[in-house]
Amino acid sequence: MLFFLHLYDKLPLPFFLSNAMQTLQNELIAKFSAHFGREPEIVSYAPGRIEVLGNHTDYNEGYVLSAAINYGTFFAVSKRADNEVHLLAGDLMEEVAFDVRQPIAEKESMWANYVKGCLAGLSSVKAPQFGFDAAFLGNIPLGSGLSSSAALETCATLAIARLFDITLPKLEIAKIGQKAEHTFAGVKCGLLDQVSSIYGEENALVLSDFRSFDIKPIAFPEDVCFLMCNTHAKHALVDGAYNERRESCEIAARFFATVLDHPVSALRDVSWNEWLRFRDSMDDRIARRAAHPIGEDTRVLEGIDCLRSGDAASFGKLMFDSHESSRVYFENSCPELDTVVNAAKSIPGILGARLSGGGFGGSAVVLVNKRDAETAAEAIRNAYAHQYGSPCDTRIISCSQGAHLVKA
Ligand code: ADP
Ligand code: MG
């Protein structure tokens, strides 16, 4: 019995990892051992994420449905006797060394900044007493909208926190990753990526309320999954367009605060009926921008009802509506994303499709019956190639368990 308890303690969480993930984990441990001459003491894992419904709602204090995905990053670490940190990027086989007490962001080896930022965040909780050797390895395609950066931050924070004997609530781990990305990598991301990576559960979506930061799982039907279709499109002036959208939402919220008889501090406080009532009293562009996050909040709440009653087809329709709202009101779609979504409308087995993430290029997320996933992905690639000469990338995504320690 004692032996069993001991074994249980050492078993990976979850007990079952897919073969591909087990292979990746073994590969990382082999690389760590070959490079540093010993096995890692601690190994963690964090997945990437997809945004499923609730587009540009986070900074309007609204709702988002997202999911942790079946692609992720492993991070292995062992204590050192001195104050040095030796950090190995397993894919690149590139090593960076620095003092544990002074992690400083540098332009070379940008990847190291994500880990250094997390270390800086943890150091503000408890000053490090020793250095460490660390290595990481992942299978999330970088820069494809699946948030490899949040996965790296999250698995690094989990493993290093364990090494330093720091216990933190999940939301604090997410905030350390977000701050690392802001201040060490120079990317002003929201909190969705880290939250999804940490709170993800198998066969469930993550519902985040970006006002109360109440985050909970919503069961997801087992006979459907997602396709992520990366168009690789990148449109110019994205930063300017993004800032305009944020500013327009703020202007709209201020307008509604003056005309509604209840408090409005963000568009979250405005209902679709209120938008309909006042749209003609507003500047047309501001009204259209506001329609998107307000409509998205409504769709997320409707979507939860669909999921609770196991109605994946109605959930899919909400995804199509979400894309239409992006295209018409928020104007954050582009011809490449529209091509994927339009093709999806007539492919058997597909229930819904929309752009995922900031927009203006990048990836679309498609809801599909599991049994049709392969053929539907091929049909999307063909439709895209017909229009643009070469296919978009497609990947089958299932809702997966969030970040956890694998060896501790
Ligand atoms: P995304 O998060 O959508 O994948 P980002 O540009 O935000 O795209 O983050 C990608 C960056 O994160 C990479 O350029 C690299 O610096 C870092 N990164 C994440 N995972 C890894 C990894 N496994 N190996 C090396 N660098 C990584
Ligand atoms: Mg990122």
Side-chain angles (χ1 to χ4, degrees):
M1 185 59 186
L2 264 180
F3 171 75
F4 176 74
L5 280 176
H6 183 68
L7 185 69
Y8 180 86
D9 193 41
K10 296 284 177 220
L11 274 174
L13 297 170
F15 312 137
F16 173 80
L17 281 175
S18 75
N19 283 344
M21 286 309 195
Q22 191 65 61
T23 306
L24 190 65
Q25 184 189 327
N26 293 346
E27 202 185 322
L28 173 63
I29 292 174
K31 282 192 175 186
F32 185 102
S33 306
H35 194 79
F36 296 115
R38 60 204 168 116
E39 286 234 331
E41 285 167 44
I42 295 164
V43 181
S44 62
Y45 169 77
R49 66 95 190 92
I50 52 172
E51 177 206 285
V52 178
L53 206 56
N55 186 244
H56 285 262
T57 48
D58 52 353
Y59 55 84
N60 291 298
E61 299 184 19
Y63 304 101
V64 186
L65 280 168
S66 62
I69 63 172
N70 48 320
Y71 292 86
T73 308
F74 287 93
F75 194 95
V77 63
S78 280
K79 188 174 177 176
R80 279 178 70 98
D82 56 22
N83 282 322
E84 288 176 21
V85 175
H86 289 250
L87 183 59
L88 177 74
D91 272 325
L92 310 167
M93 287 309 281
E94 214 178 288
E95 191 190 290
V96 165
F98 54 96
D99 190 307
V100 74
R101 294 159 304 184
Q102 281 182 314
I104 296 165
E106 303 197 32
K107 285 213 170 65
E108 302 77 50
S109 301
M110 258 302 287
W111 55 267
N113 290 342
Y114 294 91
V115 181
K116 287 176 175 178
C118 296
L119 173 59
L122 288 168
S123 303
S124 65
V125 178
K126 181 176 171 187
Q129 306 295 310
F130 47 81
F132 56 83
D133 291 326
F136 60 91
L137 195 61
N139 62 2
I140 308 171
L142 309 186
S144 71
L146 295 173
S147 212
S148 67
S149 58
L152 176 54
E153 290 144 18
T154 304
C155 64
T157 304
L158 266 187
I160 300 168
R162 181 62 165 218
L163 188 77
F164 289 167
D165 207 15
I166 299 173
T167 310
L168 288 171
K170 286 181 174 184
L171 194 58
E172 292 309 309
I173 294 174
K175 285 180 181 168
I176 285 180
Q178 183 195 28
K179 193 168 177 201
E181 190 137 349
H182 284 194
T183 56
F184 275 68
V187 182
K188 291 273 176 245
C189 60
L191 202 57
L192 177 74
D193 300 355
Q194 293 81 5
V195 156
S196 313
S197 178
I198 296 171
Y199 287 83
E201 288 188 14
E202 210 172 336
N203 299 324
L205 298 185
V206 179
L207 170 65
S208 304
D209 176 333
F210 278 94
R211 171 165 284 168
S212 64
F213 287 99
D214 182 25
I215 299 157
K216 56 185 177 206
I218 304 284
F220 191 67
E222 288 189 24
D223 52 349
V224 289
C225 64
F226 294 105
L227 299 173
M228 200 61 175
C229 307
N230 186 3
T231 66
H232 297 283
K234 273 198 179 71
H235 290 281
L237 304 174
V238 169
D239 286 349
Y242 182 80
N243 292 342
E244 183 273 312
R245 301 310 185 272
R246 278 193 83 135
E247 207 184 319
S248 299
C249 290
E250 283 164 20
I251 293 170
R254 284 200 293 274
F255 167 80
F256 280 109
T258 62
V259 295
L260 294 177
D261 55 10
H262 59 80
V264 175
S265 59
L267 286 180
R268 147 74 169 268
D269 299 311
V270 182
S271 71
W272 184 249
N273 279 337
E274 287 166 339
W275 179 83
L276 284 174
R277 189 142 59 91
F278 286 100
R279 66 159 300 170
D280 292 335
S281 325
M282 301 170 73
D283 173 85
D284 178 60
R285 184 174 55 85
I286 301 294
R288 283 186 295 113
R289 299 297 185 249
H292 187 54
I294 295 172
E296 285 292 271
D297 278 341
T298 311
R299 280 183 283 277
V300 169
L301 298 177
E302 279 178 34
I304 294 165
D305 287 341
C306 298
L307 295 177
R308 289 205 170 120
S309 56
D311 185 357
S314 298
F315 190 87
K317 285 199 187 81
L318 293 169
M319 292 175 69
F320 280 129
D321 291 347
S322 167
H323 187 79
E324 196 57 12
S325 169
S326 271
R327 197 179 70 77
V328 175
Y329 291 134
F330 217 61
E331 296 179 283
N332 64 333
S333 186
C334 63
E336 293 86 345
L337 290 168
D338 293 344
T339 298
V340 172
V341 173
N342 285 338
K345 285 180 181 159
S346 54
I347 294 172
I350 291 184
L351 307 173
R354 65 189 278 278
L355 68 82
S356 177
F360 310 106
S363 296
V365 59
V366 173
L367 180 69
V368 61
N369 289 323
K370 264 185 188 161
R371 61 172 185 275
D372 301 312
E374 294 281 1
T375 50
E378 193 184 352
I380 287 182
R381 287 195 301 272
N382 289 342
Y384 196 85
H386 183 71
Q387 183 78 23
Y388 290 103
S390 58
C392 57
D393 282 341
T394 58
R395 217 166 269 269
I396 296 176
I397 301 289
S398 50
C399 306
S400 303
Q401 199 199 359
H404 53 272
L405 290 167
V406 171
K407 179 183 178 192

